Amino acid sequence: MVSDSVSILTPTDDNNPMPVSTNDDDYLSDAAATIALLSFSTDSSSSSNSHRKPATATVIFVSLVVSTCVSLSAAAAFAFLFFYSSPANSNSTAEVSRPLTTLKNPVVLLVSLDGFRFGYQFKTDTPNIDRLIENGTEAELGLIPVFPTLTFPNHYSIVTGLYPAHHGIVNNFFIDPQTGDFFTMASHEPKWWLGEPLWETVANHGLKASTYFWPGSEVKKGSWKCPKEYCMFYNSSVPFVDRVDAVLNYFDLPSNEIPSFMTLYFEDPDHQGHKVGPDDPRINEAIARVDKMLGRLINGLEKRGVFEDVSIVLVGDHGMVGTCDKKIIFLDDLANWIQIPKEWIQSYTPLLAISPPSGFLPKEVVTKMNEVLKSGNVNNGEYLRVYLKEDLLRRLHYSDSDRIPSIIGLVEEGFKVEQTRSVRQECGGAHGYDNGVFSMRSIFVAHGPRFGRGRKVPSFENVEIYNLVTEILNINGAQNNGTESFRRSVLLPEN
Ligand SMILES: [Zn+2]
């Protein structure tokens, strides 16, 4: 949950030990052996020795042809059966949702692995994530975060279905221009938290929700009163196992008291990613650690006989990118042409947010800054571009809020912005960049009665998840930025 600042794992990353299936090789070996046998028998019939044992050669030839035909037929039949019975092939099977066997009502458990960049699952053994992927539905190339790709804006988008400009949490830290009040990650006053998060929607429908940490969950809004036993105040020192066990304990309650919606949050692998960067082998320990926690969760659910009944929605809030190689832009380097004092800055990096005081026209500041940055006189200046917020690319959805400062700077992936040259630790990991950058993607894996097994869906933005959850719980959600069609394209039709 650390705010900020980090590397990218692409499918072609050399460090990425992609598991390679040997099935194709086996199939090829078998086919090659069959062809070799046929060649041998055909050749032998015309070989110089063929006249000596023509009958034997013919028998061998015929039997090989027959056995080959039988093998091929069997293979074809197997392929047919596999194709039409494979649960992964939901289109051809018209797979439908599976009925609950133990629970009385649907339960959605939303799990966040902070900073779990898409591709981490290939860096080390993650048997539990793999199990959910194999038996559930996965965004094949990852979950797309909202901009800015920071912890608080993204966690709150996941539970409200709203872009940050609409749910109000536009950064991890910001200032309300009306009142001058500061928002920090410890601000729990309802005035900051707009929109309707899932726990509130669930409570509005008379159902129970529980939150074992999630940004915004401590805020009392509408029917959500953050009840003591069901709403944990954020405390990073609570061991991960205690969080898992607390969630499991909810399933030991009488059925009418089991929360319909639960959250569970882990700070890793974000913390480790900031420290060592996403391409350092030491990230693997953090990945393995959260996978182990998922194993504990799955085992606990299995012991209670509810693993197949619970809808587990596993997400991350954003990815991570390495920030080494002196890729820094210092604002003081612009000072000979335009002064950007630190008092104007609401956040530096990777999201540069500038709020000039009255008396300075934001448009003139933007024009001058870009002129200087492009001039070649500023080290790495070409990797930072500043915009009036209303001129940002529309796909970033980052202008419709007065909490967003008037000037926003975007740095290229892996670059950082600082005020003054310093001897600060340079290497590590960061996030907060353009959400179109692949390294900012996280994961989406969902397992449960409404999710196809072994199914892959194209990547999507995390504002779609709100509608997915309300659909599984059969409740009406609040208006949001998710699309109507998404839930139908991902969830299995009801049986
Ligand atoms: Zn972070």
Side-chain angles (χ1 to χ4, degrees), residues 134-151:
E134 281 158 24
N135 296 292
T137 297
E138 180 193 23
E140 192 165 18
L141 292 175
L143 179 64
I144 302 171
V146 294
F147 179 81
T149 51
L150 297 168
T151 296

Side-chain angles (χ1 to χ4, degrees), residues 2 4 151 270 274 318 431:
V2 172
D4 297 335
T151 296
D270 184 73
H274 282 292
H318 52 70
H431 53 86

Side-chain angles (χ1 to χ4, degrees), residues 90 95-98 449-452 455 490-494:
S90 56
E95 191 180 1
V96 292
S97 66
R98 300 175 290 276
R450 295 289 304 274
F451 294 101
R455 183 154 176 241
V490 169
L491 293 174
L492 295 174
E494 287 203 86

Side-chain angles (χ1 to χ4, degrees), residues 428-450:
H431 53 86
Y433 301 92
D434 185 339
N435 64 334
V437 173
F438 194 73
S439 61
M440 293 298 106
R441 286 195 192 179
S442 191
I443 52 165
F444 171 89
V445 183
H447 180 281
R450 295 289 304 274

Side-chain angles (χ1 to χ4, degrees), residues 12 39 54 82 140 160 174 183 227 243 328 363 387 405 409 440:
T12 54
S39 305
F82 180 78
E140 192 165 18
T160 58
F174 58 89
F183 172 85
R243 306 179 192 190
I328 307 175
K363 194 176 169 61
Y387 301 83
M440 293 298 106

